[in-house]
Amino acid sequence: METTQTFDRLVRAEFAPRSTYLNTASNGLLPARTVAALHEAAVLRAEGRPLTPLHEDVEACRAAYARLAGVPATRVAVGASVAAHTGVIAASLPAGAEVLTAEDDFTSVLNPFHVRGDLKVRAVPLERIAESVRPGTALVAVSAAQSADGRVADLAALREAAREHGARTYVDFSQSAGWLPMAADAFDFSASVSFKWLLGPHGAAFLVVPEDFGGLTPVLAGWVAGEAPWDSCYGPVQELARSARRFDLTPALFTFAGLRRSLELIEELGVEAVHAHDVALADRFRAGLADLGHTPVPAPGSAIVSVPGLGTRQRELSRAGIEVSDRAGNLRAAFHLYNTTDDVDRLLGALTG
């Protein structure tokens, strides 16, 4: 009971949405502490004070994400987008290499492999991805939770199949980091943005690489990728960072100032508690949909619920103060820590009419 009360108290102190917000799969809400940190960062720069604290925020975010991912901070690079991280991985593959992907996965996970033009990119249904790994598959790239409908990949089966056939693995945790426990150490590469379930501002993304860097070349490296960044501002970088920081992109400092506080909140609450809260709400919605005669896309254990045929109601719901998404004709509702059973019931009530 005390744990539940602490969870509720922390959430109430940080969030006061003015709508029934069920669209975290698009953007998470910013906690009050994050908004305050963004303001402080802007004032710091407006007043011309040293930006040293903002650079410290970047390292604090790296360390916090590493704890959530279950890896050492030396394996975590910071950047701006999953697409950029995917591009680094795509650039490392030899011509003709086979990349196995899930059909209709999010574009940032897929497109950098396609634009190479000389890779064999093969797409299969998500539920068949583990069984589709074969000799000669160089890399399997997949989202842990599908953006369109919330389906959760069987990552354990994928890991074993990849190991059996000598394939490397790349997992995008963007739609699961923050509510679904991560085990990034089980995969060769993984990435995530920060503005969804991690509750941060736009402009930050993380990449986890092996200790030996997995054969990646830091093709996007600038001065921050140097072992001594402030001594690497002019001319070629003389020594790349000995850690994953060699894959860093110049950070959006304001973003990391806010994100540091968002990650602190996730850690205070605990991913296991957030998971239990989010999935319980999603299951309540699924049960209510069944009572209304609607069948969502099967996605057991997911915090995202997608309902075929109801996407056209998104604008109507938004006018009524209920924020969801329309994805390929499906109504997508995403439940996170600031949502309540009242939010679920309000959406169900609106869909009854």
Side-chain angles (χ1 to χ4, degrees):
M1 179 65 71
E2 176 61 30
T3 301
T4 300
Q5 290 175 344
T6 300
F7 185 99
D8 292 342
R9 184 172 65 252
L10 279 170
V11 171
R12 284 196 302 270
E14 296 291 345
F15 300 99
R18 296 187 180 183
S19 65
T20 299
Y21 190 80
L22 301 170
N23 200 21
T24 299
S26 293
N27 307 282
L29 298 182
L30 295 178
R33 66 178 72 182
T34 300
V35 174
L38 289 168
H39 175 74
E40 291 168 7
V43 170
L44 188 76
R45 183 168 173 184
E47 294 179 349
R49 288 183 279 150
L51 300 184
T52 303
L54 304 188
H55 288 280
E56 293 171 353
D57 289 332
V58 176
E59 295 312 310
C61 288
R62 190 193 313 273
Y65 185 81
R67 289 191 294 271
L68 290 171
V71 297
T74 53
R75 289 183 56 187
V76 178
V78 300
S81 71
V82 165
H85 292 323
T86 305
V88 172
I89 296 170
S92 74
L93 296 172
E98 178 181 277
V99 181
L100 179 64
T101 66
E103 291 178 349
D104 298 321
D105 207 334
F106 197 74
T107 302
S108 296
V109 188
L110 307 177
N111 209 50
F113 300 113
H114 285 271
V115 298
R116 270 280 305 263
D118 60 354
L119 299 176
K120 299 175 183 176
V121 185
R122 184 163 59 101
V124 299
L126 178 68
E127 60 273 14
R128 289 178 47 205
I129 196 163
E131 68 184 60
S132 298
V133 183
R134 62 192 182 187
T137 300
L139 179 76
V140 187
V142 68
S143 294
Q146 291 292 297
S147 172
D149 52 33
R151 288 175 299 150
V152 177
D154 186 346
L155 294 180
L158 174 60
R159 181 182 65 246
E160 291 307 312
R163 183 178 299 165
E164 179 182 350
H165 293 291
R168 290 196 164 181
T169 48
Y170 172 43
V171 179
D172 177 15
F173 288 108
S174 292
Q175 290 291 6
S176 58
W179 71 266
L180 188 66
M182 280 188 286
D185 193 47
F187 309 100
D188 295 288
F189 312 105
S190 63
S192 178
V193 294
S194 66
F195 63 86
K196 298 179 185 291
W197 309 88
L198 293 176
L199 309 174
H202 283 72
F206 298 96
L207 172 68
V208 175
V209 301
E211 291 286 0
D212 64 0
F213 310 135
L216 299 186
T217 299
V219 293
L220 303 179
W223 69 280
V224 295
E227 177 61 23
W230 294 107
D231 295 331
S232 303
C233 295
Y234 305 104
V237 175
Q238 296 303 306
E239 182 185 10
L240 289 167
R242 301 179 195 118
S243 68
R245 193 167 52 74
R246 63 173 51 198
F247 302 105
D248 275 16
L249 300 181
T250 304
L253 294 179
F254 288 3
T255 291
F256 284 92
L259 178 59
R260 178 177 185 173
R261 275 65 192 182
S262 297
L263 294 176
E264 286 174 354
L265 176 61
I266 294 292
E267 289 197 275
E268 287 175 37
L269 293 168
V271 173
E272 294 286 355
V274 176
H275 175 267
H277 175 88
D278 292 7
V279 173
L281 294 177
D283 286 346
R284 183 185 182 95
F285 183 50
R286 291 186 181 95
L289 286 168
D291 292 339
L292 296 178
H294 298 296
T295 303
V297 174
S302 180
I304 303 171
V305 182
S306 184
V307 194
L310 295 184
T312 55
R313 302 194 62 177
Q314 181 267 328
R315 291 186 180 181
E316 163 201 337
L317 292 168
S318 183
R319 288 193 295 270
I322 303 173
E323 299 300 332
V324 294
S325 290
D326 175 4
R327 289 293 182 270
N330 297 345
L331 182 149
R332 186 187 69 184
F335 301 90
H336 205 17
L337 57 92
Y338 33 68
N339 295 129
T340 66
T341 56
D342 288 344
D343 293 335
V344 178
D345 294 345
R346 186 178 181 201
L347 177 55
L348 288 169
L351 293 175
T352 301

